[in-house]
Amino acid sequence: MARTYEYWTVKDGEDIAIKLTVAYYSARKGNFSSQAADPDEYFGHCEINLESKDDTSFMTESEIASMEEWLVSEHSEYLADQDYYD
C-alpha cells in the first residue's frame, strides 16, 4: 500500500500543499566502520521513488532536493512507528 504525504511550500507568495506518494522505498543502515569498502557500506543507503500529480515545475533543484530529504525523513519515521506498534 502506497503512503501519501503533504509537503507544504510557497508558490507565488501563497502556501500550497504538494501531495507526494511513495512508490518505492529502500533503506539500510551503515556500519560506520573504517574498514567499509564504500560510502554506502559506511553511511548506509537510501533510495526513494515518489510520485506526484501536483505541479512542481516552479521549484528549483535545491527545493526539490529538500522536499525529497523531508519525504525520506517522514517516511522512515512512519515505518519505524509501524514496526514499533506491530
Side-chain angles (χ1 to χ4, degrees):
M1 177 172 107
R3 173 109 172 119
T4 301
Y5 299 86
E6 280 189 350
Y7 179 78
W8 287 88
T9 190
V10 176
K11 178 182 178 185
D12 299 327
E14 298 287 325
D15 289 341
I16 62 164
I18 297 175
K19 289 191 172 114
L20 305 169
T21 301
V22 175
Y24 172 78
Y25 179 80
S26 171
R28 101 178 156 259
K29 291 183 179 180
N31 62 20
F32 305 106
S33 166
S34 61
Q35 304 301 316
D38 61 46
D40 282 353
E41 188 179 337
Y42 183 83
F43 293 110
H45 173 77
C46 180
E47 184 177 342
I48 191 165
N49 290 343
L50 60 97
E51 297 172 351
S52 180
K53 293 182 178 158
D54 296 327
D55 177 31
T56 58
S57 63
F58 66 93
M59 296 174 74
T60 65
E61 286 183 32
S62 173
E63 290 171 325
I64 289 175
S66 293
M67 179 178 70
E68 289 175 350
E69 281 182 36
W70 173 85
L71 184 60
V72 165
S73 174
E74 289 294 307
H75 194 62
S76 60
E77 285 182 26
Y78 165 75
L79 293 176
D81 287 347
Q82 292 299 322
D83 286 345
Y84 178 79
Y85 289 112
D86 283 348

